[in-house]
């Protein structure tokens, strides 16, 4: 038990330190920002991170247990507060928002040490915070704000050619031995994969440029021979993976190149068998986001189920994805038109 408490305390500490680096400087003129469908106002989003942790870890997901912040449920519950209204809410000041968020975590740590909080919900809220930390990168990129202090970039694609995979019977999905996993990963089930050939690396800027020259849609944030990285226009690096492309454009490229996107089962099989370069950009797959057989939703019911059938699956992780999220079996999901995220793709032989 002591080891578990220590590990969870460290997860809470590291997740918060990371979030502070990528978001806590967004006060002042940037704390609300323009109203767009693909971003949240930073002041709201930081409060939502605190509320989510309080809701699950301190309040038992019950409105009958009061928040330490009056009216918090009407401000920060993303399941009930419409996205377009988040800019108009009577939110606490930026400083008070940070204080609320951090007070929640202090109370969680105190209860954790007393054995009064379920470790499952601590792990859930840490990973929720990880996801919002990456979302703040997207907000900064979308709005042209400076990069976070610890920013990096996608690693160049060094591997060329293809790998041939034998396929066969494969267990798709997570197992109880994998530790904390989300409901859409449950549970491993046998499928049969036909043999397939997959590119060793993601499609590069140079490869995608040939598609653009032939009339394909350029990625978001390209101009001439440059690409916008947060607030700066920089020379486009030919061997970096192409980024900020939608699923629709990835499909169009595949048609142009006589290739296809991998299914998520092929991607997972390859990732568990030595696939390279899987944490540079999120990678679109051909697969629709659907439940695995026998799906049972977890307590956080809004996480997966509302999005089945309308989203596409991405695998891997980007240079901005915390390691807890960038697991081989983790399923990310977005609508096929989204190009603001740090997403690219690799291809398979058709």
């Amino acid at each position: 038990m002591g080891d578990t408490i220590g590990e969870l305390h460290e997860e809470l500490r590291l997740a918060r330190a990371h979030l502070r680096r990528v978001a806590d400087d967004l006060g002042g003129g940037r704390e609300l920002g323009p109203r767009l469908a693909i971003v949240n106002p930073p002041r709201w989003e930081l409060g939502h991170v605190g509320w989510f942790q309080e809701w699950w870890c301190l309040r038992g997901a019950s409105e009958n247990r009061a928040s330490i912040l009056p009216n918090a449920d009407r401000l920060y519950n993303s399941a009930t507060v419409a996205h377009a209204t988040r800019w108009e809410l009577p939110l606490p000041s930026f400083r008070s928002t940070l204080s609320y968020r951090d007070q929640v975590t202090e109370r969680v740590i105190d209860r954790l040490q007393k054995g009064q909080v379920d470790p499952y919900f601590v792990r859930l809220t840490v990973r929720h915070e990880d996801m919002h930390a990456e979302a703040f990168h997207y907000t900064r990129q979308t709005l042209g704000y400076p990069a976070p202090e610890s920013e990096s970039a996608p690693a160049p694609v060094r591997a060329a050619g293809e790998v041939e995979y034998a396929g066969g019977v494969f267990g798709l999905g997570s197992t109880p031995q994998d530790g904390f996993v989300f409901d859409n990963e449950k549970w491993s089930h046998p499928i049969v994969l036909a043999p397939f050939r997959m590119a060793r690396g993601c499609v590069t800027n140079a490869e995608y440029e040939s598609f653009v020259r032939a009339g394909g849609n350029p990625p978001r944030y390209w101009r001439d021979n440059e690409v916008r990285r947060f607030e700066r226009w920089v020379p486009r690096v030919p061997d970096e993976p192409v980024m900020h492309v939608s699923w629709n454009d990835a499909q169009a490229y595949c048609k142009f190149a006589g290739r296809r996107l991998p299914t998520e089962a092929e991607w997972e099989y390859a990732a568990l068998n030595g696939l390279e370069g899987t944490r540079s950009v999120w990678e679109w797959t051909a697969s629709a986001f659907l439940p695995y057989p026998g799906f049972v939703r977890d307590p956080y019911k809004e996480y997966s189920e509302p999005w089945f059938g309308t989203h596409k699956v991405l695998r891997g992780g980007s240079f901005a994805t915390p390691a807890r999220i960038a697991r081989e079996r983790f399923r990310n999901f977005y609508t096929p038109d989204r190009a603001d995220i740090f997403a690219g793709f690799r291809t398979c032989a058709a």
Side-chain angles (χ1 to χ4, degrees):
M1 183 66 176
D3 289 345
T4 299
I5 291 174
E7 290 167 4
L8 292 176
H9 190 173
E10 185 69 357
E11 284 197 5
L12 287 162
R13 185 188 70 80
L14 291 175
R16 183 55 46 79
H18 179 55
L19 183 64
R20 286 179 177 139
R21 285 193 298 271
V22 303
D24 282 16
D25 64 335
L26 292 175
R30 299 181 298 187
E31 64 190 60
L32 292 177
R35 187 182 315 215
L36 298 174
I38 57 174
V39 299
N40 280 302
R43 196 193 330 164
W44 180 89
E45 191 164 359
L46 286 164
H48 166 74
V49 168
W51 174 88
F52 188 90
Q53 191 172 86
E54 184 187 30
W55 176 253
W56 290 107
C57 295
L58 302 181
R59 299 174 60 199
S62 173
E63 294 180 349
N64 296 325
R65 297 183 184 179
S67 169
I68 62 176
L69 180 71
N71 212 33
D73 295 347
R74 294 187 180 182
L75 296 176
Y76 297 124
N77 187 343
S78 59
T80 58
V81 178
H83 182 271
T85 69
R86 295 171 188 174
W87 283 261
E88 302 166 353
L89 296 168
L91 299 171
S93 70
F94 194 81
R95 178 176 294 182
S96 296
T97 299
L98 298 181
S99 176
Y100 164 62
R101 179 199 65 186
D102 292 345
Q103 284 180 51
V104 167
T105 303
E106 289 169 6
R107 295 190 185 198
V108 170
I109 291 170
D110 180 64
R111 288 201 189 177
L112 182 63
Q113 292 171 338
K114 296 175 180 177
Q116 297 175 347
V117 61
D118 187 335
Y120 170 86
F121 292 112
V122 176
R123 292 187 175 99
L124 170 67
T125 62
V126 163
R127 285 150 183 81
H128 174 263
E129 187 163 335
D130 285 340
M131 293 178 188
H132 278 281
E134 182 163 7
F136 276 112
H137 284 78
Y138 301 158
T139 296
R140 286 176 174 272
Q141 173 66 38
T142 298
L143 301 181
Y145 294 164
E149 179 183 320
S150 58
E151 191 45 50
S152 59
V157 177
R158 301 301 187 197
E162 294 183 327
V163 177
E164 186 162 352
Y165 296 96
V169 178
F170 169 63
L172 175 65
S174 294
T175 71
Q177 289 70 46
D178 290 329
F180 182 93
V181 298
F182 288 94
D183 55 9
N184 63 60
E185 301 172 54
K186 302 175 183 176
W187 288 111
S188 178
H189 55 286
I191 63 168
V192 178
L193 279 178
F196 64 98
R197 298 199 312 274
M198 183 184 290
R200 293 180 184 274
C202 289
V203 171
T204 65
N205 284 330
E207 290 169 328
Y208 199 86
E209 186 172 346
S210 65
F211 166 63
V212 173
R213 292 183 184 279
N217 289 333
R220 188 175 291 204
Y221 313 124
W222 274 25
R223 73 176 185 191
D224 300 326
N225 294 316
E226 295 180 312
V227 61
R228 181 164 68 76
R229 290 274 168 78
F230 299 98
E231 86 285 18
R232 297 182 301 116
W233 287 96
V234 298
R236 203 159 58 239
V237 179
D239 61 354
E240 282 185 357
V242 69
M243 188 167 64
H244 296 301
V245 294
S246 69
W247 183 89
N248 295 327
D249 287 334
Q251 286 283 65
Y253 173 91
C254 287
K255 183 177 181 180
F256 162 79
R259 307 278 292 177
R260 65 174 178 85
L261 290 176
T263 66
E264 67 167 322
E266 290 171 331
W267 195 99
E268 186 172 307
Y269 179 95
L272 293 169
N273 285 278
L275 186 65
E276 300 175 58
T278 59
R279 295 185 182 181
S280 195
V281 293
W282 285 103
E283 299 181 31
W284 289 110
T285 72
S287 301
F289 182 53
L290 296 171
Y292 287 162
F295 172 82
V296 177
R297 70 187 184 194
D298 281 347
Y300 180 23
K301 62 183 181 181
E302 295 87 6
Y303 179 69
S304 301
E305 195 170 41
W307 319 115
F308 288 146
T310 59
H311 289 50
K312 300 294 184 182
V313 175
L314 303 95
R315 291 301 196 102
S318 80
F319 62 92
T321 308
R324 276 183 293 266
I325 302 299
R327 296 179 288 104
E328 288 85 354
R329 298 188 189 275
F330 179 80
R331 306 172 78 197
N332 201 356
F333 48 95
Y334 279 94
T335 52
D337 60 316
R338 290 286 295 269
D340 56 298
I341 57 177
F342 297 154
F345 61 101
R346 73 180 71 213
T347 63
C348 286

